[in-house]
Amino acid sequence: MTLDVVPVDLGARSYEVRIGPGLIDSAGAQLLPFLRRRKVAVVTDSSVAPLHLERLLASFAAKGIEATALALPAGEATKGWPEFARATEWLLEQKIERRDIVVAFGGGVIGDLAGFAAAVLRRGVRFVQIPTTLLSQVDSSVGGKTGINTAQGKNLVGAFHQPTLVLADIDVLETLPARDFLAGYGEVVKYGLLGDAAFFDWLEVNAPNMAQDRSLRQYAVRRSVEMKAGIVSRDETEEGERALLNLGHTFCHALEKATGYSERLLHGEGVAIGCTLAFELSQRLGLCSQEAPSRVRAHLRAMGTKVDLKDIPGDLPDAQTLLALMGQDKKVVDGQLRFILARGIGDAFVASDVPGDAVKTLLSEALVARS
Ligand code: GLY
């Protein structure tokens, strides 16, 4: 299999996303041209380290690159001030200097935290993303959003800090638990839904075999990254088009808050449910045909991921409370809720004038369907 290279065009801060098999084993060779001295610091987590860290360190050693590693606890709770402080101070103890490179080796939590540490360390050092989950390969490792969560909410402290290189090793996805793979799929299908109907057609046919077939997996990751790279190149700091990447996310963030960011609902599962709700809302507002939400729902069901509110175990608050949780979303502009709606599959747009009543009715009915 060949390597796919997707450029993210951002002038002097442009970089490549390299997608293919065996990239962990060749990471030393891939990074070498970017190093000003043969030294890197790796931030990873306690799930990834036992599975893959030895191979990564061996690939650095093979090129004479001195590498030290810090494994933080796995899980979303790590993405806060205490572990951020620990990682940043550890990087200073490792004597990482302005010209050195920090390697973020893990899923979205590690990429966001290590990227933010790199953004502020000595007022900014370079970092390389080696994402190990489907979700981080297709979304969080690309585009330079870094940060941590605080008591006030998710991702409220952070920085735009673009990586120097992204290595998406599609073999590593074979060790992902099935649920995590499917959750990541929520972000893959999002790209078809927001801007590429032909990709959604392709996913309907091929995605059910993606977990087993690495060439299908590689194509799905590549196409997702191409779409994200294009959007980020045109709108790095989310003044406009980049907001489309939040399709399904307003619903998702409210549901994540309502379920306490717990195992009851993984982020990508919330995105999948949020996409279904966004298409349902679009249809109710007369923006798209009934066929669109039906296709979205049927495809997500065929994949075996969560599709509706009834797929979330345990109690959920009422529609009014969920609506209020949406209002706390950080993407509120001047008190107006912004939703990403769609005129059809592959044709999403930002809507800032969505009637709250329509959202509340949709949620009420979805909650009734649970009982
Ligand atoms: N995950 C959304 C973005 O990168 O803009």
Side-chain angles (χ1 to χ4, degrees):
M1 273 172 68
T2 54
L3 183 72
D4 286 314
V5 178
V6 180
V8 183
D9 296 320
L10 288 167
R13 292 172 299 112
S14 296
Y15 56 95
E16 289 182 353
V17 183
R18 299 180 186 165
I19 304 156
L23 285 174
I24 291 181
D25 296 308
S26 68
Q30 308 265 352
L31 258 72
L32 198 55
F34 297 92
L35 297 178
R36 299 193 189 127
R37 62 172 173 159
R38 292 188 187 222
K39 179 176 168 113
V40 295
V42 180
V43 180
T44 186
D45 74 25
S46 57
S47 294
V48 173
L51 292 170
H52 308 296
L53 184 59
E54 205 176 305
R55 282 195 297 130
L56 182 69
L57 296 180
S59 88
F60 289 137
K63 292 293 168 193
I65 301 167
E66 184 196 331
T68 48
L70 173 69
L72 301 174
E76 187 75 25
T78 287
K79 215 177 111 172
W81 289 115
E83 295 298 333
F84 172 71
R86 181 175 158 209
T88 310
E89 282 169 20
W90 176 80
L91 289 166
L92 290 171
E93 282 159 17
Q94 303 311 303
K95 304 208 174 353
I96 292 300
E97 297 173 2
R98 285 289 293 275
R99 60 203 178 126
D100 293 332
I101 283 185
V102 173
V103 177
F105 186 43
V109 166
I110 291 299
D112 286 8
L113 183 146
F116 185 39
V120 296
L121 192 79
R122 301 185 188 280
R123 300 200 177 88
V125 302
R126 294 171 301 153
F127 80 116
V128 166
Q129 292 265 22
I130 308 184
T132 57
T133 61
L134 182 58
L135 188 138
S136 57
Q137 291 193 355
V138 300
D139 183 33
S140 57
S141 67
V142 181
K145 280 189 182 175
T146 71
I148 56 171
N149 307 327
T150 68
Q152 288 76 14
K154 278 186 79 169
N155 299 324
L156 291 180
V157 174
F160 284 100
H161 186 52
Q162 299 293 341
T164 294
L165 177 69
V166 182
L167 299 177
D169 184 333
I170 49 135
D171 288 340
V172 87
L173 302 180
E174 276 163 25
T175 59
L176 268 191
R179 185 175 174 199
D180 288 332
F181 187 85
L182 274 180
Y185 185 71
E187 298 281 5
V188 174
V189 77
K190 182 190 80 175
Y191 290 105
L193 295 176
L194 75 87
D196 187 349
F199 184 43
F200 183 79
D201 294 345
W202 184 91
L203 289 170
E204 280 184 315
V205 175
N206 295 292
N209 300 320
M210 225 173 88
Q212 292 76 35
D213 185 323
R214 67 215 283 252
S215 61
L216 295 180
R217 207 156 64 226
Q218 180 157 335
Y219 177 74
V221 173
R222 188 189 94 200
R223 183 67 199 124
S224 300
V225 170
E226 279 172 353
M227 289 194 66
K228 178 144 191 188
I231 290 172
V232 167
S233 300
R234 293 186 292 272
D235 178 22
E236 182 184 7
T237 53
E238 203 171 312
E239 303 300 319
E241 185 186 0
R242 187 164 179 167
L244 295 181
L245 296 173
N246 299 322
L247 176 63
H249 282 63
T250 303
F251 289 110
C252 170
H253 289 157
L255 294 170
E256 281 185 292
K257 275 182 208 147
T259 50
Y261 302 99
S262 68
E263 285 294 301
R264 284 173 63 200
L265 183 72
L266 303 180
H267 175 71
E269 294 172 337
V271 172
I273 295 173
C275 286
T276 312
L277 290 170
F279 270 80
E280 187 67 42
L281 183 60
S282 303
Q283 187 271 322
R284 287 173 182 222
L285 295 173
L287 294 164
C288 69
S289 70
Q290 177 56 55
E291 192 210 349
S294 301
R295 265 180 87 189
V296 175
R297 189 172 267 118
H299 174 55
L300 292 172
R301 276 271 168 255
M303 289 301 291
T305 187
K306 289 186 169 50
V307 182
D308 286 308
L309 296 195
K310 66 176 156 51
D311 300 322
I312 303 173
D315 292 337
L316 285 178
D318 62 17
Q320 184 62 44
T321 309
L322 285 175
L323 200 60
L325 290 174
M326 284 176 196
Q328 288 167 18
D329 194 281
K330 72 177 189 303
K331 293 177 182 73
V332 173
V333 177
D334 296 334
Q336 295 279 318
L337 258 186
R338 277 199 307 172
F339 273 91
I340 311 305
L341 297 179
R343 297 184 193 91
I345 285 173
D347 189 7
F349 66 100
V350 182
S352 49
D353 52 355
V354 179
D357 283 354
V359 182
K360 196 172 154 192
T361 306
L362 172 71
L363 290 169
S364 301
E365 290 177 16
L367 287 165
V368 168
R370 283 166 53 86
S371 45

